[in-house]
Amino acid sequence: MELIKVENVTKVYKTGTVETQALRGISLTIQSGEFLALVGPSGSGKTTLLQLLGCLDQPSSGKIYLNNKDVSQLNRNQRADIRRGTIGFIFQFFALIPTLTAYENVEMPLLLNGLSSTERRQRVTELLETVRMSNRAHYRPDQLSGGEQQRVAVARALATHPLLILADEPTANLDTENGKQVMEVMQRLNQETGTTFIFATHDPRLFGYAQRTIVLRDGQIVENSHASSTQK
Amino acid sequence: MHSIIKIAYRNLGRNRRRSFFSALALALGLALLLLMAAFLRGEINSALDYTIRLKSGHLQIRAPSYDETKTSLKWDDLIQDPQSLIAQVAALPQVKDATPRLYATAILVSQNKSIGVQVFGIDPQATANQPYRDGIVSGQFLTPDDREGLLLGQPLAQKLGLQTGNRVNLSVNTANGDVNEQVFIVRGIFSTGTNAFDNATILLPLAKAQAITQSDNHASVIFILLKDSRYTDQVANALANLPYKILTWQTMNDMIIQTEDMANAYMMIFYLIVLAITASVIVNTLIMAVFERMREIGILAAIGWRAREILLLFLAETALLTIIGIGLGLIIGLMIITYFSNHGFYIGNMGISGYLIGNMIYTELTFSDTLKLSLITLLITLIAGLYPAILAARLEPVNALHGSQ
């Protein structure tokens, strides 16, 4: 089933009088349940594309359909509502709310969705279990390692049963072992729950996790390839 | 909503010292306002209380042509045979006491000094004159038939270097426009605790005052004290059919009442200035928080918080900080006010005639003042807090995630 359809999308940033063309006519489709890597050097447009797919920003031109709905022209609040129910984010920096415990960070998106406390407890416990963080549930972010924080972020991204999880350089600040753990958790969740994962990276070690790799350069797709059987 | 408040509360705990000092600034501002309000109310109430007890009474009966400012002694301007009128007034159940008073202007001469004074001819036995009796600091009170004794206010005695038993020359204006002169003996010295009164008043027995001013069986006013000031209008109505002028304490003391209104208006401006200063401290704290937590705001937006919810988060932080500040302010303010309500606040010789103020002001804080000031504080700070909250809510998620505006 087609989850995302991007049609000839461009994004131009203006800084004063200087215009930067971050995306130059991107078109692609992504099927539900994919585990997809966006690859490319710094400045190639990976993050911009993720932000557009994640409804954090609007394209300068072109259309983006999420679940057959045109999301390219929605206003701020409409985009917030789409994000709330449909999309989970994992950032390069370990984007947890520092004043909340691991448990509360995972619980946060659920609070906005009006779940009962029992339902929330059940869901948060299950998610922390999935990312193997149950024993650290009541620690605050500053008491957790980078890898642990990122696993909590993965759990939070999954909390509302999103259709799509977007991860921007999720392992960039982690050592190899922790990076591997985070990627494996994401991969396992993709397989178990069928949630679509799109992650941006320029780390060649991660390419192997992806079922499909889209290579960007200077705001354009230069390669779109399915993984070979040598997948890690 | 609950989660917003929880996060707001914890956010304040992130920089405890900064939050504490912001709340403290607000607390001190509020404490100052409460003290000012309590001081003002204490002062006005004390002025009214002194003036009613010593000068105006709750009601006065005067001849229609009597002019207070001229202290006229012409018989036409006075009340003839005050005792019969008093019997009528005293029969009303709301009246505590009614007593005749005769006012005259005079010059007091002792050795080389002379001072203009107001003579109060009073009935020494009347309950209404108890404040003078209680105020005796040396010597004794007057008796009705004393023909050569007078009482002096303490500061006046000090100014003239007089003591109990000393002789003093008094020149008094009379009913027919002459001046009568007589040597009196200082029977006693009184202090009512209000310099403006004690500085310019001497007391004579009514009979002697009538004799020396040649006003025979006349009084300037009938001074009426009621059992409660609430009865004022009731009694005034009951006396309305008399061929005299009835004045209530409100009309006689309109200067105090106007002063109170004016003071309240000034105070409101003062409150707003103080609150604007304290609110700016809170706003500054929150603006810093917005800039420090920009990325976090981006995360909240990314997980689906709407602008409104981010706005509410920052408003909740403002509200919590303000509530803590108000709580602290109430504690500090009430402690200071309690101290001054018991020990008083010495202001010295501040009164003017017609506006008697005690030398000590005892602060009086009412529940309505406390509530009003606390609510104004909350409201102003919340309005001021809208700015950082809007700043946070307006951040574009993408920019916020990058930590830029």
Side-chain angles (χ1 to χ4, degrees):
Chain A
M1 198 184 81
E2 187 179 279
L3 179 67
I4 297 171
K5 190 174 179 192
V6 179
E7 285 180 357
N8 203 20
V9 158
T10 66
K11 181 68 187 176
V12 181
Y13 291 111
K14 283 183 189 163
T15 319
T17 53
V18 182
E19 285 193 356
T20 313
Q21 187 105 30
L23 294 178
R24 302 161 190 265
I26 300 272
S27 296
L28 76 130
T29 54
I30 297 166
Q31 301 299 319
S32 190
E34 279 199 72
F35 199 73
L36 186 147
L38 281 179
V39 175
S42 263
S44 59
K46 304 185 299 285
T47 299
T48 305
L49 183 55
L50 277 187
Q51 284 168 351
L52 296 181
L53 296 179
C55 294
L56 283 169
D57 205 354
Q58 287 177 311
S60 303
S61 71
K63 298 259 184 225
I64 298 171
Y65 297 91
L66 179 63
N67 229 1
N68 293 322
K69 184 181 175 181
D70 183 0
V71 294
S72 42
Q73 297 306 323
L74 299 179
N75 68 26
R76 272 181 74 158
N77 280 336
Q78 289 169 325
R79 281 186 278 133
D81 289 344
I82 298 259
R83 291 198 295 273
R84 183 180 290 200
T86 322
I87 303 165
F89 289 90
I90 301 162
F91 296 99
Q92 175 182 350
F93 53 91
F94 318 115
L96 301 177
I97 304 296
T99 46
L100 303 180
T101 63
Y103 182 98
E104 290 163 338
N105 263 288
V106 178
E107 188 186 26
M108 184 119 92
L110 300 171
L111 288 167
L112 295 173
N113 282 19
L115 261 64
S116 75
S117 63
T118 321
E119 288 169 315
R120 288 202 306 267
R121 197 177 320 122
Q122 207 174 350
R123 179 78 182 136
V124 175
T125 311
E126 173 192 313
L127 283 163
L128 287 173
E129 191 108 338
T130 311
V131 297
R132 304 201 173 93
M133 284 297 293
S134 306
N135 56 339
R136 315 283 272 175
H138 298 291
Y139 285 58
R140 296 223 180 146
D142 59 1
Q143 298 164 315
L144 300 174
S145 74
E148 287 170 330
Q149 287 185 48
Q150 201 60 310
R151 270 146 56 200
V152 175
V154 172
R156 183 184 64 194
L158 278 162
T160 55
H161 297 287
L163 298 172
L164 172 65
I165 289 188
L166 300 168
D168 191 5
E169 307 270 9
T171 63
N173 289 340
L174 298 178
D175 59 32
T176 311
E177 184 50 36
N178 273 306
K180 195 171 153 223
Q181 279 183 18
V182 167
M183 286 311 293
E184 282 170 1
V185 165
M186 284 170 40
Q187 196 175 44
R188 182 161 50 82
L189 288 166
N190 165 255
Q191 286 159 4
E192 285 172 12
T193 63
T195 310
T196 309
F197 276 76
I198 302 175
F199 64 97
T201 184
H202 59 257
D203 182 351
R205 288 172 299 182
L206 305 188
F207 297 173
Y209 287 97
Q211 294 162 355
R212 180 152 67 118
T213 304
I214 290 173
V215 183
L216 289 171
R217 190 161 299 139
D218 298 328
Q220 287 176 310
I221 295 176
V222 292
E223 196 185 322
N224 184 347
S225 60
H226 283 267
S228 63
S229 54
T230 58
Q231 187 183 328
K232 199 169 176 179
Chain B
M1 194 64 200
H2 176 251
S3 59
I4 290 179
I5 292 171
K6 188 169 174 182
I7 296 170
Y9 175 73
R10 292 206 181 162
N11 280 340
L12 292 181
R14 287 160 95 165
N15 199 330
R16 290 212 176 97
R17 196 180 308 175
R18 191 165 73 194
S19 299
F20 172 76
F21 279 109
S22 305
L24 185 67
L26 191 89
L28 292 177
L30 178 62
L32 176 67
L33 298 190
L34 290 172
L35 182 65
M36 294 294 290
F39 183 84
L40 183 69
R41 195 161 293 274
E43 188 220 295
I44 299 284
N45 284 353
S46 134
L48 270 178
D49 183 55
Y50 270 109
T51 308
I52 288 173
R53 277 192 308 125
L54 300 175
K55 271 199 101 167
S56 74
H58 288 117
L59 288 163
Q60 278 188 16
I61 301 176
R62 297 177 185 170
S65 61
Y66 182 76
D67 183 352
E68 188 185 24
T69 55
K70 290 182 185 150
T71 324
S72 168
L73 285 167
K74 279 194 279 181
W75 287 16
D76 286 350
D77 296 338
L78 301 180
I79 294 169
Q80 197 184 357
D81 187 19
Q83 287 309 330
S84 64
L85 189 55
I86 281 170
Q88 217 176 318
V89 175
L92 293 169
Q94 301 95 330
V95 173
K96 187 176 168 196
D97 193 23
T99 180
R101 282 190 180 169
L102 183 72
Y103 300 134
T105 49
I107 293 174
L108 195 62
V109 184
S110 167
Q111 292 157 354
N112 300 327
K113 290 183 202 159
S114 64
I115 279 184
V117 293
Q118 187 162 42
V119 174
F120 273 39
I122 59 165
D123 172 4
Q125 288 171 323
T127 320
N129 295 323
Q130 194 61 30
Y132 308 134
R133 188 190 299 275
D134 292 343
I136 291 293
V137 290
S138 78
Q140 52 195 340
F141 199 60
L142 299 168
T143 53
D145 52 358
D146 192 342
R147 307 311 279 180
E148 48 183 9
L150 58 71
L151 298 181
L152 278 180
Q154 194 174 29
L156 189 58
Q158 280 165 356
K159 230 182 278 179
L160 294 172
L162 289 170
Q163 287 176 340
T164 306
N166 287 167
R167 286 175 179 276
V168 64
N169 191 299
L170 189 71
S171 303
V172 188
N173 291 317
T174 66
N176 54 26
D178 294 337
V179 174
N180 237 342
E181 200 178 330
Q182 189 187 319
V183 173
F184 284 85
I185 298 168
V186 178
R187 291 270 185 249
I189 293 170
F190 65 85
S191 168
T192 59
T194 163
N195 267 8
F197 186 84
D198 297 350
N199 239 332
T201 313
I202 65 163
L203 302 177
L204 289 180
L206 180 66
K208 180 63 198 172
Q210 285 169 334
I212 197 173
T213 58
Q214 296 169 358
S215 47
D216 203 17
N217 185 24
H218 287 81
S220 305
V221 304
I222 307 291
F223 176 97
I224 302 171
L225 279 186
L226 302 176
K227 286 174 182 156
D228 195 306
S229 60
R230 283 175 303 166
Y231 302 138
T232 306
D233 290 338
Q234 228 176 316
V235 176
N237 289 336
L239 300 175
N241 54 350
L242 293 174
Y244 294 108
K245 226 169 22 176
I246 312 293
L247 288 97
T248 64
W249 61 270
Q250 290 101 325
T251 51
M252 288 184 282
N253 300 318
D254 60 343
M255 184 167 138
I256 297 177
I257 289 161
Q258 276 171 21
T259 307
E260 183 180 9
D261 289 346
M262 200 170 69
N264 281 335
Y266 277 127
M267 285 311 262
M268 189 48 82
I269 295 169
F270 181 79
Y271 295 158
L272 293 179
I273 293 171
V274 171
L275 288 175
I277 295 168
T278 52
S280 68
V281 173
I282 302 264
V283 170
N284 184 42
T285 303
L286 284 154
I287 289 174
M288 277 198 279
V290 172
F291 286 117
E292 282 169 5
R293 305 208 307 250
M294 210 170 268
R295 192 177 265 186
E296 212 175 297
I297 295 165
I299 298 164
L300 292 173
I303 66 168
W305 280 43
R306 289 171 158 216
R308 193 177 68 95
E309 285 149 348
I310 293 170
L311 183 99
L312 283 177
L313 174 68
F314 277 85
L315 274 186
E317 287 185 31
T318 311
L320 285 175
L321 204 54
T322 310
I323 288 167
I324 294 168
I326 288 176
L328 206 58
L330 287 176
I331 294 171
I332 298 171
L334 290 179
M335 272 168 35
I336 299 173
I337 289 164
T338 307
Y339 176 83
F340 284 116
S341 73
N342 291 325
H343 294 83
F345 194 94
Y346 182 75
I347 58 159
N349 177 12
M350 289 286 284
I352 48 173
S353 101
Y355 193 140
L356 302 178
I357 304 178
N359 298 340
M360 301 288 278
I361 298 288
Y362 295 88
T363 48
E364 285 178 39
L365 186 66
T366 62
F367 177 73
S368 82
D369 279 346
T370 313
L371 188 69
K372 186 177 81 182
L373 287 173
S374 301
L375 287 179
I376 293 177
T377 307
L378 182 64
L379 191 72
I380 289 194
T381 323
L382 278 183
I383 291 171
L386 273 174
Y387 175 67
I390 291 171
L391 199 67
R394 278 206 181 149
L395 286 173
E396 278 295 334
V398 173
N399 295 337
L401 282 168
H402 290 118
S404 62
Q405 260 186 294

